[in-house]
Amino acid sequence: MKARMAHLKRKAEPAEPKNLYEVAVGQTVWVTSVDVDDLDMRRRLQDLGIIAGTRVLCKQKAPSGNPKAYLVRGATVAIRKNDSERILVTTTPPEYAEAD
């Protein structure tokens, strides 16, 4: 039995993204925290609704990979790599996540 099943390999599940920049196009994640040191940038992200619990969909990326476009609370926003790397995310919606 093992010999017959040896050729069947489990597909490795992709690693869960740790920051927003690691999210693949078409993938939905939830923000867990925003660790941006620049207070102006932190405020801009908060104004866009990027706070803990917010659902974010990666819509597309530039040919160079930077920036990426994300759907956040009904608006599409482009966020540069250096800023999106500071936004921590998870693929599991938290209990306090925004409702649909």
Side-chain angles (χ1 to χ4, degrees):
M1 181 78 166
K2 287 184 180 180
R4 279 194 270 162
M5 298 186 79
H7 70 282
L8 298 175
K9 294 183 180 178
R10 288 185 182 236
K11 288 185 177 180
E13 293 197 21
E16 180 169 322
K18 293 179 176 78
N19 64 56
L20 191 57
Y21 188 76
E22 294 174 343
V23 175
V25 173
Q27 186 176 14
T28 299
V29 294
W30 284 263
V31 175
T32 56
S33 66
V34 180
D35 295 330
V36 177
D37 296 329
D38 179 2
L39 295 179
D40 290 333
M41 178 52 69
R42 178 185 289 276
R43 177 60 188 251
R44 284 188 206 117
L45 293 171
Q46 288 175 342
D47 288 346
L48 292 170
I50 300 176
I51 58 173
T54 300
R55 183 176 39 146
V56 178
L57 167 68
C58 183
K59 288 184 72 174
Q60 66 187 58
K61 66 178 180 176
S64 65
N66 186 23
K68 286 186 174 181
Y70 303 95
L71 182 64
V72 181
R73 298 181 185 255
T76 300
V77 296
I79 304 175
R80 294 177 297 217
K81 179 180 179 183
N82 61 336
D83 296 322
S84 62
E85 287 178 328
R86 307 292 299 189
I87 301 169
L88 305 181
V89 298
T90 182
T91 57
T92 306
E95 292 179 19
Y96 57 85
E98 63 185 16
D100 287 337

